[in-house]
Amino acid sequence: MRLKRISEYVWEIPKTEKEGMNVPALIFGTEKIVNNLEEGVFEQITNVACLPGIVRAALCMPDGHVGYGFPIGGVAAFRTDGGVISPGGIGFDINCGMRLVRTDLTVEEVQPRVKELVDRLFHRIPAGVGAKGLLRLTPSEFEEVMVKGVDWCIEKGYGWEEDRERIESYGRIPGADPSKVSKRAIERGLAQMGTLGSGNHYLEVQIVKGESIFDPEVARVFGIREDQVVLMIHCGSRGFGHQIGTDYLKVFDSAMPKYGIKVRDRELACAPFTSPEGQDYYKAMVCAANAAFVNRQVILHRVREVLSDVFHRDPRDLGLEVVYDVAHNIAKVERHVVDGEEMEVLVHRKGATRSFGPGHPEIPEIYREVGQPVIIGGSMETGSYLLVGTEKAMKESFGSTAHGSGRTMSRHAAKRQIRGSELRQRMEERGIYVRAVTMSGLAEEAGFAYKNIDDVVEAVDRIGISRKVVKLKPIGNIKG
DNA sequence: ATGTAC
């Protein structure tokens, strides 16, 4: 497919390249990254550009790879009036996301006890396919989870008041309607709050090395300093969100003819945002998004319990504060400037992170002057980054940036390259203590199966859609 | 990602 370089780090596939494109597709990345993207990504992002009501351009972030319908790393904004909502543009794992937690503990204090700490966390935070949590909710409690999100946790003592403002959308997106969620989805979700899941989901113990602080001023605002231990939580809405996605794909698949919508790929099933089907899915998606915030909040609660036990100190005294929590699989109603005019759009971010710049009213006051914290998670071997949102992201990418490394190798291929037990040993020799539910699952997540996180982060930093603040190095990891 | 196929 023909790629036109329109600036140093932006590549365009013009509208004329494929019949039916309503807008061009734009790929963000360095030459190296764009040259290495799978052909399927270009196919998928230009299919997205054909969807009804899409504005300006279909975007692909530097960590783009082939996904269900939309590429992972895809960002697309649709008119709220006249545009569509598509589960394939959000992902099955609704509000899969990242939460970063700071501590007042130093590397010297934690390093000698990292095995004990990781083992205790492993026992307290259930992980793996089908894992059930320590919390067993009644259907009416779960209804509150869907509607109130993290506010429910704070009411119940699973969170602190001050956690709320350090979560995207304050951990509670308005518009949830549990009556739009199937009984089956609720049955799957009831016992899953406070569980990690599997695949690339993890809980990681990380350290801040002095030479990895790129912006000391912003790092200080985010509560980050040299020699500090932090924890990163990566998980989503588990079987609950997955079931909602599955349910509504079926609904949309049969509703499309009614609305005269034809898509190039059945995986792009969608419905007008204002249609009954579109609104029902949106309301159910919000339920899953709020449940995912709750899931990460309950995991944080367990983290606070375990660290308090291990270090015999109160969690507040340990400085166990949320830095921020970002969604990377979600659609949100936001206002953006399109062709010089501010308008309301439904921004789909699928494997992409919100990256609002300084002064945005949706950023909490504590961070408003510098911009929104952006968390980009690498593979469990290579480290992760904390960045900050920019004004340029508001102009170029609907306030969005990348979310992670992006796979370069299939799970199957990764398992052929290395045995889980060998990887575990190799990681331990390099100072990363890992506990995994299955050794095959561990092998699938080997660092070599992913793009180099430094390349992805360097790209978003140079493009200017988020700025590097600090790189975080893993010393302990829990995998589902 | 996912009670990894209803």
Side-chain angles (χ1 to χ4, degrees), chain A residues 188 198-200 238:
Chain A
R188 288 180 71 171
S198 68
N200 64 359
R238 311 279 287 101

PDB file of all heavy atoms in Angstrom, chain A residues 188 198-200 238, chain B residues 1-4 6:
ATOM      1  N   ARG A 188     -20.212 -14.164  34.969  1.00  0.00           N
ATOM      2  CA  ARG A 188     -18.759 -14.308  34.790  1.00  0.00           C
ATOM      3  C   ARG A 188     -17.987 -13.291  35.626  1.00  0.00           C
ATOM      4  O   ARG A 188     -16.860 -13.555  36.043  1.00  0.00           O
ATOM      5  CB  ARG A 188     -18.388 -14.148  33.311  1.00  0.00           C
ATOM      6  CG  ARG A 188     -18.806 -15.314  32.448  1.00  0.00           C
ATOM      7  CD  ARG A 188     -18.415 -15.125  30.999  1.00  0.00           C
ATOM      8  NE  ARG A 188     -16.966 -15.234  30.805  1.00  0.00           N
ATOM      9  CZ  ARG A 188     -16.383 -15.275  29.614  1.00  0.00           C
ATOM     10  NH1 ARG A 188     -17.115 -15.202  28.519  1.00  0.00           N
ATOM     11  NH2 ARG A 188     -15.083 -15.373  29.509  1.00  0.00           N
ATOM     12  N   SER A 198      -4.791 -13.325  32.523  1.00  0.00           N
ATOM     13  CA  SER A 198      -3.662 -14.040  31.929  1.00  0.00           C
ATOM     14  C   SER A 198      -3.092 -13.264  30.747  1.00  0.00           C
ATOM     15  O   SER A 198      -3.293 -12.054  30.641  1.00  0.00           O
ATOM     16  CB  SER A 198      -4.115 -15.436  31.499  1.00  0.00           C
ATOM     17  OG  SER A 198      -5.022 -15.322  30.433  1.00  0.00           O
ATOM     18  N   GLY A 199      -2.392 -13.959  29.861  1.00  0.00           N
ATOM     19  CA  GLY A 199      -1.811 -13.304  28.693  1.00  0.00           C
ATOM     20  C   GLY A 199      -0.744 -12.313  29.099  1.00  0.00           C
ATOM     21  O   GLY A 199       0.144 -12.638  29.876  1.00  0.00           O
ATOM     22  N   ASN A 200      -0.871 -11.072  28.591  1.00  0.00           N
ATOM     23  CA  ASN A 200       0.159 -10.087  28.921  1.00  0.00           C
ATOM     24  C   ASN A 200      -0.152  -9.287  30.183  1.00  0.00           C
ATOM     25  O   ASN A 200       0.500  -8.293  30.469  1.00  0.00           O
ATOM     26  CB  ASN A 200       0.419  -9.155  27.730  1.00  0.00           C
ATOM     27  CG  ASN A 200      -0.798  -8.324  27.376  1.00  0.00           C
ATOM     28  OD1 ASN A 200      -1.849  -8.459  28.001  1.00  0.00           O
ATOM     29  ND2 ASN A 200      -0.664  -7.471  26.384  1.00  0.00           N
ATOM     30  N   ARG A 238     -11.621  -8.575  32.590  1.00  0.00           N
ATOM     31  CA  ARG A 238     -11.697 -10.038  32.656  1.00  0.00           C
ATOM     32  C   ARG A 238     -12.846 -10.608  31.806  1.00  0.00           C
ATOM     33  O   ARG A 238     -13.186 -10.053  30.792  1.00  0.00           O
ATOM     34  CB  ARG A 238     -11.789 -10.489  34.123  1.00  0.00           C
ATOM     35  CG  ARG A 238     -10.759  -9.876  35.045  1.00  0.00           C
ATOM     36  CD  ARG A 238      -9.416 -10.563  34.979  1.00  0.00           C
ATOM     37  NE  ARG A 238      -9.445 -11.864  35.622  1.00  0.00           N
ATOM     38  CZ  ARG A 238      -9.535 -13.042  34.999  1.00  0.00           C
ATOM     39  NH1 ARG A 238      -9.602 -13.112  33.702  1.00  0.00           N
ATOM     40  NH2 ARG A 238      -9.548 -14.166  35.665  1.00  0.00           N
TER      41      ARG A 238
ATOM     42  P    DA B   1      -2.596 -10.440  26.408  1.00  0.00           P
ATOM     43  OP1  DA B   1      -1.844 -10.927  27.445  1.00  0.00           O
ATOM     44  OP2  DA B   1      -2.321  -9.980  25.126  1.00  0.00           O
ATOM     45  O5'  DA B   1      -4.121 -10.887  26.574  1.00  0.00           O
ATOM     46  C5'  DA B   1      -4.756 -10.535  27.772  1.00  0.00           C
ATOM     47  C4'  DA B   1      -6.218 -10.318  27.535  1.00  0.00           C
ATOM     48  O4'  DA B   1      -6.445 -10.255  26.128  1.00  0.00           O
ATOM     49  C3'  DA B   1      -7.110 -11.468  28.035  1.00  0.00           C
ATOM     50  O3'  DA B   1      -7.543 -11.138  29.350  1.00  0.00           O
ATOM     51  C2'  DA B   1      -8.297 -11.412  27.089  1.00  0.00           C
ATOM     52  C1'  DA B   1      -7.709 -10.794  25.825  1.00  0.00           C
ATOM     53  N9   DA B   1      -7.520 -11.771  24.753  1.00  0.00           N
ATOM     54  C8   DA B   1      -6.389 -12.398  24.357  1.00  0.00           C
ATOM     55  N7   DA B   1      -6.574 -13.212  23.339  1.00  0.00           N
ATOM     56  C5   DA B   1      -7.924 -13.108  23.076  1.00  0.00           C
ATOM     57  C6   DA B   1      -8.761 -13.722  22.117  1.00  0.00           C
ATOM     58  N6   DA B   1      -8.314 -14.581  21.208  1.00  0.00           N
ATOM     59  N1   DA B   1     -10.076 -13.394  22.143  1.00  0.00           N
ATOM     60  C2   DA B   1     -10.512 -12.524  23.069  1.00  0.00           C
ATOM     61  N3   DA B   1      -9.816 -11.888  24.009  1.00  0.00           N
ATOM     62  C4   DA B   1      -8.525 -12.229  23.948  1.00  0.00           C
ATOM     63  P    DT B   2      -7.941 -12.158  30.411  1.00  0.00           P
ATOM     64  OP1  DT B   2      -8.562 -11.493  31.563  1.00  0.00           O
ATOM     65  OP2  DT B   2      -6.767 -12.992  30.607  1.00  0.00           O
ATOM     66  O5'  DT B   2      -9.045 -13.007  29.637  1.00  0.00           O
ATOM     67  C5'  DT B   2     -10.343 -12.494  29.399  1.00  0.00           C
ATOM     68  C4'  DT B   2     -11.145 -13.648  28.862  1.00  0.00           C
ATOM     69  O4'  DT B   2     -11.004 -13.713  27.431  1.00  0.00           O
ATOM     70  C3'  DT B   2     -10.630 -15.005  29.315  1.00  0.00           C
ATOM     71  O3'  DT B   2     -10.904 -15.254  30.669  1.00  0.00           O
ATOM     72  C2'  DT B   2     -11.315 -15.888  28.281  1.00  0.00           C
ATOM     73  C1'  DT B   2     -11.153 -15.053  27.001  1.00  0.00           C
ATOM     74  N1   DT B   2      -9.952 -15.450  26.194  1.00  0.00           N
ATOM     75  C2   DT B   2     -10.150 -15.936  24.923  1.00  0.00           C
ATOM     76  O2   DT B   2     -11.246 -16.057  24.431  1.00  0.00           O
ATOM     77  N3   DT B   2      -9.001 -16.300  24.270  1.00  0.00           N
ATOM     78  C4   DT B   2      -7.697 -16.207  24.762  1.00  0.00           C
ATOM     79  O4   DT B   2      -6.756 -16.574  24.086  1.00  0.00           O
ATOM     80  C5   DT B   2      -7.571 -15.691  26.104  1.00  0.00           C
ATOM     81  C7   DT B   2      -6.202 -15.564  26.706  1.00  0.00           C
ATOM     82  C6   DT B   2      -8.690 -15.331  26.740  1.00  0.00           C
ATOM     83  P    DG B   3     -12.428 -15.769  31.191  1.00  0.00           P
ATOM     84  OP1  DG B   3     -13.461 -15.500  30.222  1.00  0.00           O
ATOM     85  OP2  DG B   3     -12.350 -15.265  32.493  1.00  0.00           O
ATOM     86  O5'  DG B   3     -12.194 -17.346  31.323  1.00  0.00           O
ATOM     87  C5'  DG B   3     -12.415 -18.176  30.265  1.00  0.00           C
ATOM     88  C4'  DG B   3     -12.796 -19.523  30.837  1.00  0.00           C
ATOM     89  O4'  DG B   3     -13.862 -19.386  31.782  1.00  0.00           O
ATOM     90  C3'  DG B   3     -13.425 -20.451  29.779  1.00  0.00           C
ATOM     91  O3'  DG B   3     -12.370 -21.042  29.065  1.00  0.00           O
ATOM     92  C2'  DG B   3     -14.168 -21.436  30.644  1.00  0.00           C
ATOM     93  C1'  DG B   3     -14.576 -20.599  31.860  1.00  0.00           C
ATOM     94  N9   DG B   3     -16.029 -20.336  31.946  1.00  0.00           N
ATOM     95  C8   DG B   3     -16.878 -20.772  32.949  1.00  0.00           C
ATOM     96  N7   DG B   3     -18.120 -20.392  32.792  1.00  0.00           N
ATOM     97  C5   DG B   3     -18.097 -19.674  31.629  1.00  0.00           C
ATOM     98  C6   DG B   3     -19.144 -19.001  30.941  1.00  0.00           C
ATOM     99  O6   DG B   3     -20.338 -18.922  31.265  1.00  0.00           O
ATOM    100  N1   DG B   3     -18.701 -18.389  29.783  1.00  0.00           N
ATOM    101  C2   DG B   3     -17.407 -18.412  29.334  1.00  0.00           C
ATOM    102  N2   DG B   3     -17.188 -17.773  28.205  1.00  0.00           N
ATOM    103  N3   DG B   3     -16.425 -19.014  29.957  1.00  0.00           N
ATOM    104  C4   DG B   3     -16.826 -19.621  31.085  1.00  0.00           C
ATOM    105  P    DT B   4     -12.456 -21.689  27.587  1.00  0.00           P
ATOM    106  OP1  DT B   4     -13.841 -21.603  27.087  1.00  0.00           O
ATOM    107  OP2  DT B   4     -11.778 -22.975  27.697  1.00  0.00           O
ATOM    108  O5'  DT B   4     -11.537 -20.700  26.677  1.00  0.00           O
ATOM    109  C5'  DT B   4     -11.870 -20.405  25.325  1.00  0.00           C
ATOM    110  C4'  DT B   4     -10.608 -20.405  24.483  1.00  0.00           C
ATOM    111  O4'  DT B   4      -9.592 -19.638  25.161  1.00  0.00           O
ATOM    112  C3'  DT B   4     -10.000 -21.794  24.323  1.00  0.00           C
ATOM    113  O3'  DT B   4     -10.629 -22.509  23.286  1.00  0.00           O
ATOM    114  C2'  DT B   4      -8.520 -21.467  24.088  1.00  0.00           C
ATOM    115  C1'  DT B   4      -8.322 -20.205  24.919  1.00  0.00           C
ATOM    116  N1   DT B   4      -7.634 -20.462  26.234  1.00  0.00           N
ATOM    117  C2   DT B   4      -6.337 -20.083  26.364  1.00  0.00           C
ATOM    118  O2   DT B   4      -5.713 -19.569  25.445  1.00  0.00           O
ATOM    119  N3   DT B   4      -5.770 -20.324  27.582  1.00  0.00           N
ATOM    120  C4   DT B   4      -6.395 -20.913  28.695  1.00  0.00           C
ATOM    121  O4   DT B   4      -5.799 -21.081  29.758  1.00  0.00           O
ATOM    122  C5   DT B   4      -7.769 -21.298  28.488  1.00  0.00           C
ATOM    123  C7   DT B   4      -8.529 -21.940  29.622  1.00  0.00           C
ATOM    124  C6   DT B   4      -8.310 -21.061  27.289  1.00  0.00           C
ATOM    125  P    DC B   6     -17.590 -20.835  22.556  1.00  0.00           P
ATOM    126  OP1  DC B   6     -17.521 -19.374  22.526  1.00  0.00           O
ATOM    127  OP2  DC B   6     -17.415 -21.544  23.818  1.00  0.00           O
ATOM    128  O5'  DC B   6     -18.978 -21.296  21.889  1.00  0.00           O
ATOM    129  C5'  DC B   6     -19.003 -22.186  20.786  1.00  0.00           C
ATOM    130  C4'  DC B   6     -20.405 -22.815  20.730  1.00  0.00           C
ATOM    131  O4'  DC B   6     -20.437 -23.962  21.595  1.00  0.00           O
ATOM    132  C3'  DC B   6     -21.529 -21.910  21.219  1.00  0.00           C
ATOM    133  O3'  DC B   6     -22.148 -21.252  20.121  1.00  0.00           O
ATOM    134  C2'  DC B   6     -22.501 -22.860  21.884  1.00  0.00           C
ATOM    135  C1'  DC B   6     -21.626 -23.991  22.376  1.00  0.00           C
ATOM    136  N1   DC B   6     -21.206 -23.889  23.807  1.00  0.00           N
ATOM    137  C2   DC B   6     -22.007 -24.437  24.794  1.00  0.00           C
ATOM    138  O2   DC B   6     -23.070 -24.991  24.450  1.00  0.00           O
ATOM    139  N3   DC B   6     -21.629 -24.338  26.082  1.00  0.00           N
ATOM    140  C4   DC B   6     -20.487 -23.730  26.422  1.00  0.00           C
ATOM    141  N4   DC B   6     -20.155 -23.666  27.694  1.00  0.00           N
ATOM    142  C5   DC B   6     -19.642 -23.156  25.428  1.00  0.00           C
ATOM    143  C6   DC B   6     -20.041 -23.252  24.149  1.00  0.00           C
TER     144       DC B   6
END
